[in-house]
Amino acid sequence: METASTPQPVQPVKLSLPLVYQQKLFEELRKEDELVVLARGLGLMRLITNLLHSYDAAGNNLIVIVNAEDRENAWIGEALAEHAAISMSPKARGLTVVNTDFTSVGAREKMYAGGGIFSVTSRILVVDMLTGLLNPETITGMLVLHADKAVATSLEAFIIRIYRQKNKAGFLKAFSDNPDPFTTGFSPLATMMRNLFLRKASLWPRFHVHVAQALEGKKKAEVIELEVPMTNAMREIQVAIMECVEVSIHELKKGNTGLEMDDWNLDSALLKNFDVLVRRQLDPNWHRVSWKTKQIVGDLTVLRGMLQSVLALDAVSFLQQLDTIHAAHSPPPGSTRQTQSPWLFLDAAQTIFDTAKKRVYASTQKAGPDSNIDSLQPVLEEQPKWSVLADVLEEIDRDLYFESQVRDDSNGTILIMCSDTNTCRQLRDYLQTMHVKPRLEKRIEEVYDPEEDKPSAAYMMRKKLRNYLKWKKEFAQISATLFAENQKALSGAVDPRLAQSKNRAPSNKRRRVRGGGAVGSGSSRLENGSIPQYFEKPSEVAELMGQIEITEEEAKQKDDLTITDPLEDMEDYYQLYDMQDLVVIHAYDGDQDEHVLEEVKPKYIVMYEPDASFIRRVEVYRSSHNDRNVRVYFLYYGGSVEEQRYLSTVRREKDNFTKLIKERASMSLVMTVDPSTEDPQEAFLRTINTRIAGGGKTSSATAEPPRVVVDVREFRSSLPSLLHGRSMIIVPCMLTVGDYILSPTICIERKSVSDLISSFSNGRLYSQCETMFQHYQNPMLLIEFDQNKSFTLEPFADLSGSMSSVSAANAGQNDLQSKIVLLTLAFPKLRIIWSSSPYETAEIFERLKSQEKEPDPIAAVRAGLNDGEDGEQQGEGAAFNPEPGEMLAAVPGVTPRNIGNITAKMENIKEVANASVQELSELVGKEAGRQIEGFFRKDLLEDYD
């Protein structure tokens, strides 16, 4: 335990940082501001909570936590309460979470004034700091979590810039456990530190000297690696899927030659973020990319998911997943070859589907005259890890039996960790039923068979196969309804396998050909060359169901297995479990795994699937407790994608830290630019427009920086941050009309392309333009594109060339350009600004404001709230109510040229209706006056008769 004192004279606080590297890092953070990049799994949250407690115990600090997630807030709140109780700190107040759900503006102001530790969402914090609700000068310090997300256009960078402009004495510390974003781009570490206004970076990889000494000492966890060999069928499927992935990547490279594709290889395809990597490269040219390329990008996601599924799912569930994938990728019958996914035409795809079926059931030839007809027999191949897991649990039972005396503080609990909740459910079912033996034939004599005592998944797999066959029957019926042309094949009248048997080997012989060769796959293709959807004949299904019907032993077990959750009927099943007899199955859950280890205190840990960060958490847990022994069983499939993914993750993290260390060594001093330190005279000269000619207006040149009124909902975008970066004062308000008010006459409605499409669909844009014209003289529509995408509307237009897209009936309905043309026809005075990025928008705004007066925030907020009551707020061109004007414009004889004369002389429509032809002729002419007078004098009853 380490003792540290805050600068104020208070009693020492107790910290829970038992390891040397944690103590050294804590001392560094207390002394100076820095960016900490810690390897994942080394206890970042523990470090942050101890640091916060050291400030919380003083009781007179205002600390703000930025970018914390909900689960991290819960963790920090619990840890601070626990630390305060242990340290007996009377001044500690714990964590206060500020969000829109629970706190109003008035409540936030009171809480900020009282001080304490606050975790505030970024959108609320930036508005509070700009409006003065939270004065940045009163903040003692700021902690930024997930610092890797603080890019130049983020809200977090905006908050830090405001804080540093007005508060140079408070501390600022940033944390991250993901080194990957700090290594992409040109001098990424220096750029990120400039965004964070920090000058020092502290890097703590797993191979750091202090970390290695702390985790590799005498208190090292006992780790037993178990390499589990895959079955031949699993290996065949994996090789076939990898071949499909390789071919897809090759096709992707061939179709997109102008891109940087060094990382587009089979090794990178195993990483989790490979989809993001490919999409990031293709996004700028996504509108020019061929339909085939877009399809391959989607196929890569599916294939990479199959690589994970073949190892994680049981044989029946994997086959069911393949059926759904095949159905989703198969178009209706009669379509051309180009509409299907390219990987479905490969021989490797045939191998995947055939081998997956052979893992569940095999076809055996019937004896008799009908020698070509197959019968299906269940195979139900088990996952190899299941039996290894059973052996591990048996070994642990033996250890617990012979070492009944507990020698340490650990419980005898067995903790099994896996990747997701589906695997947890699968293992739970297996462990509950692995000793249930469905006896398929009755024996006359009971003879002891040692094979019967071995754990088996026969009960679970037979149950899954029964459910699968029922599902497949319903699936076939749905397919028959959707695709009527397949009806004959589904009903069993025409079996494509029987048609193929003429002059060829029997179908069961063909299925045994390995590797998807021409003999096994060429004959079972559709006309367009793709693999047909496979449906068993009803007779085969009935025979297979007969093989796996429920036996007496299975019927006995059914009732006992229905209770899966002991909390459902707490009154009947309430009891305290003995930790010695408990097997806990848990999914990997990031930092929360540290809580699981501390609460369960397991003596045995089985890592069903490898995870690098969890191994480190176990190392930290074991090294932090002298009296807790831990044995870890580490299971992985040898030569599998699972092993390669684990090794590549570890290697990638090591390489990233190495790059960071090299960049930090060669990095010059990071200068954090602060606009508030600018010389006042230079600030004044900067506001003068150098293009003002002699005799032009110079009154707009003032030392006060320009001001922009921004709607609070616009802080989701990066534009307010960029405007603030151009030394503009941002005034956040709840606006009814417009998004940005640049001057008393200029109002701008900002739309991203996706928002523009939705606004056209629901008609919201037309009403927004109407209200802008009512209150402002120069309304503008800003259409802003994404910086990383193409500056064109092509990808959003209907360029298919189909008859529906060019027909007169649908003209203007689907085409975005046509809708914009219709908008300009409806509002001829509306100005449209096209911007390629938020950076370009900020520059446009600066130019628009150069000769304009500053906007009034109060008038901007009032606009639209009390329509018609405050004539002074309305623009020059909106002095009349729009609804009567629109009604008058529809009257025959009224034109855009003469409507102004009528509205200037007559007060309302009633006066126009009662006017004589002579009075109207003086305003609009004889012919138009006669038409208007005739319209209002027309008797509808006479026309009806």
Side-chain angles (χ1 to χ4, degrees):
M1 303 292 288
E2 185 184 351
T3 302
S5 298
T6 53
Q8 292 77 12
V10 294
Q11 67 179 55
V13 294
K14 296 178 181 178
L15 305 177
S16 58
L17 296 173
L19 302 181
V20 176
Y21 77 89
Q22 294 174 337
Q23 296 167 9
K24 290 186 176 295
L25 192 47
F26 176 82
E27 290 171 2
E28 272 187 24
L29 286 166
R30 286 289 301 186
K31 287 178 183 176
E32 54 189 333
D33 296 349
E34 62 182 12
L35 164 66
V36 175
V37 183
L38 189 66
R40 191 164 289 165
L42 294 182
L44 180 63
M45 288 305 297
R46 170 178 283 198
L47 179 71
I48 291 170
T49 52
N50 279 273
L51 180 66
L52 286 170
H53 173 58
S54 68
Y55 290 110
D56 188 31
N60 57 352
N61 294 317
L62 174 57
I63 312 293
V64 179
I65 304 172
V66 181
N67 208 21
E69 299 172 355
D70 290 340
R71 53 190 287 171
E72 291 167 341
N73 287 332
W75 181 320
I76 293 170
E78 291 177 9
L80 287 179
E82 186 179 340
H83 278 298
I86 294 172
S87 299
M88 292 182 290
S89 307
K91 295 183 179 180
R93 283 175 282 186
L95 177 72
T96 305
V97 179
V98 178
N99 54 38
T100 51
D101 298 332
F102 305 106
T103 50
S104 62
V105 174
R108 293 205 301 270
E109 190 171 14
K110 288 181 182 177
M111 287 191 298
Y112 293 147
I117 298 179
F118 297 92
S119 177
V120 195
T121 57
S122 297
R123 278 187 59 203
I124 295 176
L125 183 58
V126 69
V127 173
D128 287 352
M129 293 176 78
L130 287 170
T131 55
L133 197 67
L134 172 59
N135 185 359
E137 295 177 359
T138 62
I139 298 175
T140 309
M142 186 176 285
L143 268 66
V144 182
L145 307 187
H146 305 288
D148 48 282
K149 297 179 181 177
V151 295
T153 56
S154 65
L155 275 178
E156 290 73 33
F158 190 8
I159 290 166
I160 295 167
R161 191 190 313 131
I162 299 169
Y163 170 64
R164 269 294 172 241
Q165 279 182 7
K166 297 184 179 180
N167 187 342
K168 296 179 177 59
F171 67 78
L172 176 62
K173 306 175 195 306
F175 302 89
S176 176
D177 60 356
N178 183 15
D180 197 19
F182 293 95
T183 58
T184 54
F186 178 71
S187 62
L189 181 61
T191 305
M192 199 72 77
M193 290 177 67
R194 196 174 295 113
N195 296 337
L196 294 166
F197 283 75
L198 291 171
R199 296 191 178 187
K200 182 183 177 183
S202 184
L203 308 176
W204 293 79
R206 173 61 180 82
F207 55 84
H208 192 285
V209 175
H210 295 306
V211 178
Q213 286 176 352
L215 301 184
E216 295 174 5
K218 296 179 181 178
K219 299 179 289 183
K220 193 175 180 181
E222 180 187 357
V223 180
I224 300 172
E225 285 193 12
L226 297 173
E227 182 178 345
V228 183
M230 292 189 294
T231 63
N232 291 332
M234 290 172 67
R235 191 172 289 106
E236 282 183 34
I237 292 173
Q238 180 178 280
V239 170
I241 296 174
M242 293 292 280
E243 184 181 336
C244 292
V245 171
E246 194 170 13
V247 170
S248 298
I249 293 175
H250 178 71
E251 289 291 323
L252 212 55
K253 286 183 174 181
K254 192 167 68 173
N256 304 275
T257 53
L259 300 175
E260 183 183 350
M261 297 177 287
D262 296 338
D263 291 333
W264 293 13
N265 51 49
L266 208 53
D267 191 32
S268 298
L270 303 180
L271 300 175
K272 288 183 180 179
N273 62 344
F274 180 70
D275 298 328
V276 180
L277 179 73
V278 172
R279 190 61 196 261
R280 189 188 298 142
Q281 292 284 338
L282 294 174
D283 255 348
N285 300 307
W286 193 250
H287 63 293
R288 295 176 188 156
V289 167
S290 64
W291 182 83
K292 182 181 178 183
T293 297
K294 294 178 182 178
Q295 191 176 39
I296 292 173
V297 171
D299 292 342
L300 279 173
T301 305
V302 173
L303 290 168
R304 291 171 69 247
M306 287 165 57
L307 278 174
Q308 177 68 20
S309 299
V310 72
L311 302 176
L313 299 180
D314 58 86
V316 178
S317 300
F318 181 67
L319 181 60
Q320 186 173 353
Q321 187 188 61
L322 282 183
D323 286 338
T324 54
I325 289 173
H326 195 178
H329 287 73
S330 298
S335 61
T336 58
R337 175 171 179 158
Q338 285 74 14
T339 59
Q340 279 191 290
S341 297
W343 67 275
L344 283 174
F345 298 96
L346 300 175
D347 290 341
Q350 183 81 35
T351 305
I352 295 171
F353 290 103
D354 285 349
T355 312
K357 283 198 287 283
K358 284 190 289 185
R359 293 177 69 202
V360 178
Y361 52 79
S363 122
T364 56
Q365 196 171 9
K366 278 187 177 179
D370 299 329
S371 58
N372 284 334
I373 298 179
D374 297 339
S375 66
L376 301 180
Q377 299 291 330
V379 175
L380 300 177
E381 179 181 278
E382 298 184 11
Q383 297 292 93
K385 275 188 183 179
W386 291 347
S387 60
V388 175
L389 178 63
D391 293 342
V392 167
L393 294 178
E394 187 179 351
E395 179 184 325
I396 292 172
D397 283 342
R398 284 199 302 268
D399 284 354
L400 289 173
Y401 178 78
F402 290 114
E403 299 178 13
S404 56
Q405 298 291 332
V406 179
R407 300 175 183 173
D408 54 26
D409 190 39
S410 296
N411 296 318
T413 310
I414 303 169
L415 178 62
I416 302 175
M417 300 296 295
C418 36
S419 59
D420 53 27
T421 52
N422 289 332
T423 311
C424 290
R425 200 174 294 113
Q426 176 198 101
L427 293 182
R428 183 199 64 193
D429 293 344
Y430 172 72
L431 294 178
Q432 285 178 337
T433 62
M434 63 183 180
H435 293 297
V436 179
K437 304 295 178 185
R439 295 187 178 179
L440 304 181
E441 66 260 353
K442 293 184 179 179
R443 300 180 183 177
I444 301 173
E445 277 184 27
E446 289 291 335
V447 181
Y448 174 72
D449 186 0
E451 291 294 322
E452 282 196 359
D453 286 341
K454 290 187 176 179
S456 169
Y459 172 85
M460 183 179 76
M461 295 298 288
R462 285 162 62 87
K463 185 178 178 182
K464 284 181 178 290
L465 182 55
R466 283 194 293 271
N467 294 334
Y468 167 74
L469 291 174
K470 291 176 185 174
W471 171 85
K472 191 70 178 288
K473 184 179 179 182
E474 296 173 0
F475 185 67
Q477 290 171 353
I478 294 170
S479 298
T481 305
L482 295 176
F483 309 130
E485 296 179 31
N486 281 356
Q487 188 64 41
K488 291 183 180 179
L490 292 175
S491 62
V494 178
D495 189 352
R497 294 168 297 163
L498 295 179
Q500 295 156 9
S501 61
K502 296 178 181 179
N503 301 323
R504 290 188 179 92
S507 56
N508 62 315
K509 301 297 182 185
R510 292 198 309 277
R511 286 197 193 97
R512 289 181 185 145
V513 177
R514 304 281 182 180
V519 179
S521 59
S523 58
S524 59
R525 301 278 179 157
L526 294 175
E527 292 181 2
N528 64 353
S530 65
I531 302 168
Q533 184 80 28
Y534 180 84
F535 291 103
E536 300 83 359
K537 291 169 62 179
S539 58
E540 294 175 336
V541 174
E543 191 170 358
L544 192 56
M545 285 292 284
Q547 296 280 342
I548 56 171
E549 62 184 3
I550 299 175
T551 62
E552 291 181 9
E553 295 291 329
E554 290 175 315
K556 290 178 186 176
Q557 295 292 329
K558 187 173 182 181
D559 294 332
D560 296 335
L561 296 172
T562 53
I563 303 165
T564 56
D565 187 359
L567 298 180
E568 287 180 357
D569 301 310
M570 287 189 65
E571 293 80 6
D572 299 333
Y573 299 98
Y574 181 74
Q575 60 180 337
L576 289 175
Y577 287 106
D578 184 2
M579 297 299 287
Q580 189 85 2
D581 301 328
L582 206 58
V583 177
V584 179
I585 305 175
H586 200 275
Y588 294 123
D589 197 15
D591 289 329
Q592 297 296 323
D593 293 340
E594 295 178 28
H595 276 320
V596 174
L597 291 172
E598 292 291 345
E599 291 173 8
V600 177
K601 295 192 286 189
K603 190 172 184 179
Y604 304 97
I605 300 174
V606 181
M607 294 182 62
Y608 189 75
E609 287 156 315
D611 184 81
S613 60
F614 184 77
I615 293 174
R616 291 172 188 159
R617 294 186 213 284
V618 174
E619 289 179 327
V620 172
Y621 169 76
R622 177 65 187 91
S623 302
S624 301
H625 299 281
N626 290 323
D627 52 352
R628 295 183 190 175
N629 294 317
V630 180
R631 182 189 296 174
V632 181
Y633 293 90
F634 183 81
L635 276 63
Y636 65 94
Y637 285 116
S640 68
V641 172
E642 182 181 70
E643 181 187 14
Q644 289 299 318
R645 186 182 288 119
Y646 167 73
L647 294 174
S648 62
T649 303
V650 174
R651 184 175 63 251
R652 189 180 181 87
E653 186 191 69
K654 184 179 178 182
D655 293 344
N656 288 338
F657 268 112
T658 305
K659 289 178 185 176
L660 282 174
I661 292 168
K662 287 180 179 178
E663 184 183 348
R664 186 182 64 174
S666 60
M667 185 173 63
S668 57
L669 183 66
V670 177
M671 298 300 294
T672 53
V673 180
D674 190 354
S676 64
T677 58
E678 192 174 6
D679 183 52
Q681 187 175 358
E682 290 183 5
F684 173 75
L685 293 172
R686 185 174 43 78
T687 61
I688 300 177
N689 189 346
T690 56
R691 297 181 66 183
I692 297 174
K697 294 180 181 179
T698 57
S699 60
S700 62
T702 60
E704 183 183 354
R707 185 168 64 242
V708 178
V709 180
V710 182
D711 186 16
V712 291
R713 293 175 288 262
E714 279 298 303
F715 283 91
R716 294 189 186 95
S717 69
S718 58
L719 184 55
S721 174
L722 297 175
L723 293 173
H724 186 269
R726 286 182 168 266
S727 301
M728 294 186 189
I729 296 176
I730 305 299
V731 184
C733 296
M734 184 66 76
L735 299 180
T736 308
V737 180
D739 293 329
Y740 296 85
I741 311 300
L742 302 188
S743 74
T745 60
I746 298 178
C747 170
I748 295 180
E749 179 72 29
R750 175 189 163 275
K751 297 287 182 188
S752 62
V753 178
S754 57
D755 192 19
L756 182 68
I757 294 171
S758 63
S759 297
F760 273 125
S761 301
N762 56 28
R764 190 173 78 247
L765 185 57
Y766 283 86
S767 60
Q768 288 172 336
C769 290
E770 284 179 0
T771 54
M772 284 197 296
F773 272 103
Q774 289 175 24
H775 298 89
Y776 293 95
Q777 187 176 350
N778 298 317
M780 300 181 186
L781 173 64
L782 167 68
I783 301 176
E784 186 179 83
F785 288 74
D786 192 344
Q787 181 187 1
N788 299 319
K789 295 187 178 179
S790 57
F791 186 30
T792 176
L793 283 175
E794 280 183 34
F796 310 102
D798 185 4
L799 303 179
S800 58
S802 61
M803 291 302 294
S804 61
S805 65
V806 297
S807 64
N810 291 332
Q813 291 184 8
N814 302 319
D815 195 356
L816 188 58
Q817 289 97 325
S818 302
K819 292 178 180 178
I820 294 174
V821 170
L822 292 174
L823 180 70
T824 55
L825 290 174
F827 301 99
K829 292 185 179 180
L830 178 68
R831 299 181 182 180
I832 298 179
I833 301 173
W834 300 86
S835 175
S836 60
S837 70
Y839 290 94
E840 179 69 20
T841 305
E843 190 176 341
I844 291 170
F845 280 15
E846 194 173 31
R847 291 202 298 268
L848 285 173
K849 281 186 63 65
S850 59
Q851 291 299 305
E852 295 290 336
K853 295 179 180 179
E854 296 301 332
D856 182 6
I858 297 174
V861 172
R862 285 181 181 172
L865 294 179
N866 300 311
D867 286 343
E869 294 181 9
D870 216 350
E872 295 178 359
Q873 294 176 18
Q874 297 186 349
E876 296 176 7
F880 305 102
N881 292 331
E883 289 82 5
E886 291 175 3
M887 291 174 62
L888 187 60
V891 174
V894 178
T895 63
R897 291 187 177 183
N898 60 29
I899 191 171
N901 298 333
I902 299 173
T903 55
K905 296 291 183 182
M906 297 190 176
E907 189 174 346
N908 50 40
I909 290 183
K910 182 180 178 182
E911 192 174 336
V912 177
N914 294 330
S916 63
V917 177
Q918 185 179 355
E919 292 173 337
L920 291 171
S921 300
E922 293 176 359
L923 298 174
V924 297
K926 289 183 180 180
E927 181 60 27
R930 187 184 60 76
Q931 288 182 6
I932 296 171
E933 196 266 348
F935 173 79
F936 285 110
R937 295 287 185 272
K938 198 170 190 180
D939 192 341
L940 298 178
L941 294 176
E942 289 181 4
D943 288 352
Y944 181 76
D945 294 336

